[in-house]
Amino acid sequence: TLPHPPGLPRPSSRLAASLPHRAARVGLGSFVMASHGLGFDFGTSGVRINVVSADTLEVVHADSRAYSEQSAEVWSSAMDELLLAIPKEIRSEIGRISVSGTSATVLLASPSGDTRGPRMYDFSVVGAPKGEEAMEMIKREAPAGHCVRSATSSLAKVLSWGLEGPMDNDVRVAHQADYLARRLTGEGVPFTSDWNNMLKFGYDPMEDAYPEWVTGLAGACGITPEPLP
C-alpha cells in the first residue's frame, strides 16, 4: 500500500470503499490486455481522435472533423463518422475508449432521444430566463470561493432550467462527455460523469456525494435527485 501524500486531505470512507468496486465495474483488468486505446477530444470548433497502441504508446491512427454548430446531433454525427473511418484492422483492436468534452457544457436528455440545449462552457445564465434568480440562490447557499458561484457553472445552468419549468423525472442532466460516452455504452446504461466536470456542479469528490446545499438548491428549483448526473 502506498503512503498517503502528506498535506492532502484523505478521501471519505465511503469514497475509499467504492474505489475497488469502480475499478471492477469499468473493467480495469481488461485494459491491460487491450491492444489499442481510442481517445475523443471534442472542442469548440471540431473533434479529433487518436488511436494509441498500448504496447508502444505510438499513435497508429489520427483523424478529425470540424463543425460550426453545437448540438447533440452534430457531435453524434461527427463521432460516428470518425469511428467508421478508422481502418477495420485498427478498429478491431480497440479495447478502451475515452471521451473528453468542453468543461461545464450541459444538456438535458430524454429517453426518447430528444435533447434540450446545449448550454456551452461559456454560456452565462446572467440575462437568461431565471438566470439571475438562480445566481442569487447559489450565492446564498454555496461556500465562498466555490466554482459554482460562477454564472457559467454547470449548476447555475441547470438550476435556471429548473426555475423555467418543471423537469420530468425521466429527463437526465448530462455533460457533453457524459452524453457522448453513453452513446457508446448503449441504452439502459445511466449517464455517468467524471469528478472534474462534477466540480462545477457542486459535487464533493472527497465525500463522493452531493453536499446538502446542492440537493437543497435543486429541490428548491423543482429538480429531484433522479435527473442529476
Side-chain angles (χ1 to χ4, degrees):
T1 301
L2 295 175
H4 185 77
L8 293 181
R10 291 183 176 273
S12 68
S13 56
R14 173 182 170 179
L15 174 57
S18 76
L19 292 177
H21 300 289
R22 290 171 182 266
R25 187 168 67 241
V26 299
L28 287 179
S30 65
F31 289 1
V32 178
M33 302 301 294
S35 296
H36 299 321
L38 165 62
F40 284 90
D41 181 14
F42 284 84
T44 56
S45 60
V47 53
R48 59 184 179 179
I49 65 168
N50 280 330
V51 180
V52 180
S53 167
D55 297 324
T56 65
L57 300 184
E58 294 179 352
V59 175
V60 296
H61 177 78
D63 202 351
S64 63
R65 291 292 185 277
Y67 44 68
S68 57
E69 299 179 8
Q70 298 285 355
S71 71
E73 292 77 15
V74 169
W75 304 333
S76 299
S77 177
M79 170 179 270
D80 292 345
E81 287 183 20
L82 288 169
L83 282 171
L84 292 173
I86 300 173
K88 289 183 179 180
E89 64 273 15
I90 294 178
R91 191 167 67 232
S92 64
E93 293 296 321
I94 294 173
R96 49 182 172 175
I97 302 176
S98 63
V99 181
S100 173
T102 52
S103 178
T105 291
V106 292
L107 68 160
L108 304 180
S110 70
S112 65
D114 295 332
T115 59
R116 181 180 180 183
R119 287 184 167 176
M120 294 298 293
Y121 70 100
D122 57 352
F123 178 92
S124 173
V125 300
V126 175
K130 301 295 183 178
E132 294 185 12
E133 183 177 347
M135 287 307 302
E136 288 299 320
M137 296 173 67
I138 291 173
K139 289 177 180 177
R140 285 198 299 268
E141 301 295 335
H146 199 292
C147 60
V148 301
R149 296 172 70 92
S150 167
T152 61
S153 71
S154 302
L155 184 63
K157 295 165 187 173
V158 173
L159 292 185
S160 62
W161 264 329
L163 290 171
E164 290 175 29
M167 190 179 296
D168 295 338
N169 283 344
D170 60 354
V171 168
R172 294 294 180 264
V173 176
H175 293 95
Q176 182 184 32
D178 311 341
Y179 178 84
L180 292 165
R182 185 178 179 272
R183 293 190 71 245
L184 302 175
T185 55
E187 295 182 5
V189 177
F191 287 106
T192 303
S193 195
D194 64 275
W195 291 334
N196 291 316
N197 266 315
M198 292 301 291
L199 289 175
K200 295 183 179 179
F201 215 102
Y203 196 82
D204 186 342
M206 297 304 295
E207 293 295 331
D208 198 19
Y210 287 104
E212 290 185 4
W213 58 266
V214 173
T215 55
L217 282 170
C221 294
I223 305 172
T224 61
E226 285 79 8
L228 301 182

